[in-house]
Amino acid sequence: GVVVDMAWRHVVYAVLVVGGAWFAHPYGIDGISVAVLVAVAVTFVLFTHLGMRITGLPMAEVALAHLPAIVLAAVAGGVTWLVAASARAAAWPAVAVLAIAAAAAGLAMALLVVATRWRILGPDGEWWRLAAVGYISRRAGRRRKAHNPSPREP
């Protein structure tokens, strides 16, 4: 059943990672990174297909659910590339390039989310936001009660 379907997909992933890394090792870390990226992409497609088969979701719904993440990833990737290329051109150390590019990408995504009033995340992102706010509110309420117990009756 489903367990077997999942298992062979995991085997494909493992073979793609190991085989791809072996094939790409003459190209250095860049080649191995591309091989792993291909393995992850193929596995994503395989598991998405499995999920669609199990749930009966049509491809249009799956694609629509992924659209907000694709937009955010494009923004993050574009900002990261621009900032990293500029920092490398200025001969910054690798750790500084990583830190500034990651911070810039995070800031760009946060600004996009705030500027669109969370709509960029779509209905699934809105559900997540409401769930997170509810969880944080409940946790904060419990903490307040623990730190400020009600006065006891004499």
Side-chain angles (χ1 to χ4, degrees):
V2 175
V3 173
V4 172
D5 288 338
M6 290 176 63
W8 75 256
R9 284 167 171 83
H10 283 292
V11 169
V12 167
Y13 175 67
V15 168
L16 287 174
V17 168
V18 173
W22 177 81
F23 176 77
H25 85 274
Y27 303 99
I29 192 71
D30 292 339
I32 293 172
S33 298
V34 170
V36 172
L37 174 67
V38 169
V40 169
V42 168
T43 304
F44 174 80
V45 170
L46 291 174
F47 273 97
T48 299
H49 176 263
L50 177 62
M52 289 170 48
R53 195 183 80 211
I54 292 169
T55 63
L57 280 174
M59 177 51 103
E61 246 182 273
V62 172
L64 193 59
H66 286 82
L67 190 58
I70 291 169
V71 171
L72 280 173
V75 168
V79 168
T80 301
W81 184 79
L82 286 170
V83 171
S86 299
R88 285 188 195 116
W92 287 17
V95 71
V97 172
L98 175 64
I100 194 73
L107 180 62
M109 288 190 302
L111 289 173
L112 182 60
V113 167
V114 170
T116 62
R117 298 183 185 206
W118 292 80
R119 284 186 293 252
I120 190 70
L121 298 180
D124 296 319
E126 178 64 11
W127 174 89
W128 180 88
R129 183 183 73 83
L130 292 174
V133 166
Y135 174 78
I136 292 167
S137 296
R138 286 190 303 278
R139 294 282 298 179
R142 276 190 234 135
R143 190 169 293 133
R144 251 183 264 116
K145 287 179 185 175
H147 292 299
N148 299 322
S150 58
R152 294 184 183 191
E153 296 290 325

